[in-house]
Amino acid sequence: MARIIVVTSGKGGVGKTTSSAAIGTGLAQRGHSTVIIDFDVGLRNLDLIMGCERRVVYDFVNVINGEATLNQALIKDKRTEGLFILPASQTRDKDALTEEGVSKVLEELKGRFDYIVCDSPAGIEKGAQMALYFADEAIVVTNPEVSSVRDSDRILGILQSKSLRAREGQDPVKEHLLLTRYNPTRVSAGEMLSVADVEEILAIPLLGVIPESQDVLKASNQGEPVILNVDAQAGQAYSDAVDRLLGEDRAHRFLDEQKQGFLKRLLGGRG
Amino acid sequence: MSFLDYFRSKQSPRSAATAKERLQVIVAHERGQRNQPDYLPRMQQEILEVIRKYVPVEQDDVQVQVDENGNCSVLELNVTLPG
């Protein structure tokens, strides 16, 4: 039975799409057929991050409205076997995603894939609620920063009260904390909330910590999920997170300040 | 980190501690509200209007709160009457 995983956060710009792309790719790399769905109607961006923006013909809303079949709308990833992308529509119609429509498409996808990764839009409006409604698991992407942590807590409240699992009294949505843009140097200087601080406040299990890294911007510039960059710490951290998501034990890495040489610090070297 | 930063003492205030404290307070407050039923603010308003028929009270003089006590909920109503 396919697992539906929503990648959500409440706040925008914390790394939902970057994380959806990385985690979806990671799942497919490990042999699980995976589809990543962009739920951000009107602000399509997963295609850019995945580097398939020029191959979009039909989208999620076309499939819901019966204007295209799933096969026509799904984009097969060229780098990773077993990975597909379902792009968001660029329509300005806010009500394009209906509960029945989304449910119908997800049912069809469940028969074909092991994992369905739902890349949620920011906010707590319809699109975000639709992205999390059918989820079995939720990856709550959070930055170590006050507004992001508060919004994550708000989204956790919505998961616990407004998801299908909550409404029908089934087992609750399994929650995971993914801390992104983490800067150990600033944490040790007392300028940034630590992993422990955020864990204590949100009180959900930690899936992974992604260090702040220039490789993430580089990856999105190139339209390549950062997890494919095996030399990058951010890529390795996402890889560990995917392993943990699949139930494996992986120690957390990149949590401590990296000591730089005197000369490098003097010259303003970058981690 | 630049040349000058290297010689600067690390005595900056630990703003992360402030962030954590503020978050703990606001998150606890918002979680408390989250579990309250949606009708509570409207009910508070109506109760206020009933009381106002008899006694002049302000909005803040009526506090309505729901407390969970195991398998039953207790509706607590606090009205501060003018002395």
Side-chain angles (χ1 to χ4, degrees), chain A residues 173-186:
Chain A
V173 176
K174 193 173 174 193
E175 299 157 347
H176 307 274
L177 170 63
L178 184 66
L179 200 56
T180 56
R181 310 193 83 164
Y182 195 69
N183 187 329
T185 309
R186 302 198 74 183

Side-chain angles (χ1 to χ4, degrees), chain A residues 10 25 28 30 47 54 56 88 99 111 133 138-139 155 158 166 186 192 220 236-237 258:
Chain A
T25 303
R30 285 156 183 75
D47 56 338
R54 298 183 60 175
V56 176
E99 193 182 312
Y133 189 69
I139 296 174
I155 276 291
I158 292 171
R186 302 198 74 183
M192 184 181 265
S220 72
Q236 295 168 15
Q258 286 187 316

Side-chain angles (χ1 to χ4, degrees), chain A residues 140-143 148-156 160 175-179 195-205, chain B residues 23-24 27 31 34:
Chain A
V140 180
V141 183
T142 308
N143 288 169
S148 174
V149 176
R150 181 200 205 170
D151 290 359
S152 291
D153 193 68
R154 184 109 172 78
I155 276 291
L156 287 168
Q160 289 156 12
E175 299 157 347
H176 307 274
L177 170 63
L178 184 66
L179 200 56
V195 186
D197 291 340
V198 181
E199 275 187 282
E200 189 185 328
I201 293 163
L202 293 179
I204 59 170
Chain B
L23 270 170
Q24 281 172 324
V27 163
R31 279 181 192 159
R34 191 188 294 167

Side-chain angles (χ1 to χ4, degrees), chain B residues 35-63:
Chain B
N35 299 327
Q36 293 193 343
D38 293 340
Y39 59 75
L40 219 57
R42 255 185 308 126
M43 191 172 75
Q44 177 166 1
Q45 198 55 43
E46 282 180 38
I47 290 171
L48 183 74
E49 277 157 26
V50 172
I51 295 171
R52 268 191 187 151
K53 280 187 186 173
Y54 304 92
V55 201
V57 290
E58 291 301 315
Q59 182 86 32
D60 293 347
D61 295 335
V62 179
Q63 301 288 339

Side-chain angles (χ1 to χ4, degrees), chain A residues 26-40:
Chain A
L27 288 167
Q29 279 180 323
R30 285 156 183 75
H32 305 284
S33 60
T34 301
V35 57
I36 316 175
I37 310 177
D38 190 347
F39 271 78
D40 204 345

Side-chain angles (χ1 to χ4, degrees), chain B residues 4 17 49 59 65 72:
Chain B
L4 276 176
E49 277 157 26
Q59 182 86 32
Q65 207 181 325
C72 73

Side-chain angles (χ1 to χ4, degrees), chain B residues 3-82:
Chain B
F3 179 75
L4 276 176
D5 288 340
Y6 191 70
F7 295 101
R8 220 170 263 160
S9 62
K10 281 192 176 174
Q11 285 183 343
S12 54
R14 301 181 59 89
S15 60
T18 315
K20 186 181 178 186
E21 256 180 59
R22 292 175 58 219
L23 270 170
Q24 281 172 324
V25 172
I26 192 68
V27 163
H29 175 73
E30 288 178 345
R31 279 181 192 159
Q33 289 194 328
R34 191 188 294 167
N35 299 327
Q36 293 193 343
D38 293 340
Y39 59 75
L40 219 57
R42 255 185 308 126
M43 191 172 75
Q44 177 166 1
Q45 198 55 43
E46 282 180 38
I47 290 171
L48 183 74
E49 277 157 26
V50 172
I51 295 171
R52 268 191 187 151
K53 280 187 186 173
Y54 304 92
V55 201
V57 290
E58 291 301 315
Q59 182 86 32
D60 293 347
D61 295 335
V62 179
Q63 301 288 339
V64 182
Q65 207 181 325
V66 178
D67 287 322
E68 299 279 334
N69 264 339
N71 55 0
C72 73
S73 304
V74 177
L75 176 70
E76 197 181 303
L77 183 66
N78 266 311
V79 186
T80 314
L81 296 176

